[in-house]
Amino acid sequence: MIYTGGTIGMVKDYNSGTLKPFNFKKLEKHIPELGQLDCHIDPVSFKDPIDSSNMNSDHWVIIAELIESHYDTHDGFVVLHGSDTMSYTASALSYMLENLSKPVIFTGSQLPIGDLRTDAKENLITAIQIASLSKKESPLIREVCLYFEYKLYRANRTTKINAEHFEAFASLNYPALAESGVHLKVYEENLIKTNTRKKLKVRTQMDTNVAILKLFPGLSENIFRSVLTAPNLKALILETYGAGNAPTEEWLVSELKDAIKKGIHIINVTQCSGGSVIMGQYETSQQLKKLRIINGKNITTEAAITKLMYLLGSGVPSKLFKTVFETSLRGEMD
Ligand code: ASP
């Protein structure tokens, strides 16, 4: 169990009234039920637990390396993480942990563990149970998942959709992997089937020379150009409307053309939380198709931006970049 921070382990600072991370030892003190679980838990904590708004790719590497160094001795991993950027971290880890054949379950909570009405206990206890599930003496789940409010999802399909409800996450383009009610039901047909004979490879090179630009009516040419000509930019997620549509104005097309000529990869990802980019369905995406912009299909923005960092970090050659991005690597797109 890796504790990175987040509300799950926070307490109220009575001077400032804000929520701040606290010592991991107290987390165990708050859930004595952990002792009743039918598995042995080794807790590891970030030296300085953080609010997940402060997460970056260096923290992802720490998590990946912790998993790597405990991989042979442990059956499964639970990562306690703030919910704000959990989908980003969990998506990133799904790429970084190549040939994963054990469960890595991210969870957190909307209310601190010490709160009377907390959702932390159920999330944590069930996440641990899921991480220890086995079938014929080998792990049942072999992928990076996110467990929150009675549902287990493929992590790289999730998005945080609510800052208030206990049901904070959704996976609109892929069904749940498991549901917890009176019984814990695992939908095995939805799980990734991996080749277990391959050894885990941990990829820690993540290139952060990437950006996300969300289209909106009224976006000006100057602003658009300044993003596309930002120094060191290597790839951009263009968050388009609906099924991957964008304004057909000439300046926009010509700015995109210039960027592509310079070797910048442009990915078409829809602003909608559900559904897919279908370039060419409407006249307003025909121009993007002609430019051979990369099709993000039904990938989430979180899974797309982290996939970019991973592919650029792995040195995928420019010529192959479009084909590799459009291929599902960890079940992140159809
Ligand atoms: N701000 C917190 C975080 O993401 C919220 C949470 O944990 O749910 O770290």
Side-chain angles (χ1 to χ4, degrees), residues 5-8 10 50-53 81-85 109-110 160:
T7 299
I8 195 161
M10 285 189 186
I50 54 170
D51 184 299
S52 78
S53 302
H81 193 289
S83 63
D84 288 349
T85 64
S109 66
Q110 290 283 55
K160 183 170 181 184

Side-chain angles (χ1 to χ4, degrees), residues 212-229:
I212 300 171
L213 193 141
K214 181 172 182 157
L215 290 180
F216 58 92
L219 170 64
S220 77
E221 186 176 348
N222 278 343
I223 306 275
F224 192 66
R225 184 184 312 120
S226 65
V227 174
L228 282 176
T229 54

Side-chain angles (χ1 to χ4, degrees), residues 294-307:
I294 297 172
N295 189 345
K297 302 178 195 176
N298 64 357
I299 200 169
T300 62
T301 298
E302 292 88 333
I305 193 79
T306 49
K307 188 171 187 175

Side-chain angles (χ1 to χ4, degrees), residues 260-281:
I260 292 168
K261 236 188 249 158
K262 281 195 293 181
I264 296 173
H265 306 289
I266 313 279
I267 330 297
N268 187 350
V269 174
T270 174
Q271 298 180 7
C272 298
S273 331
S276 182
V277 164
I278 310 174
M279 278 198 279
Q281 184 183 30

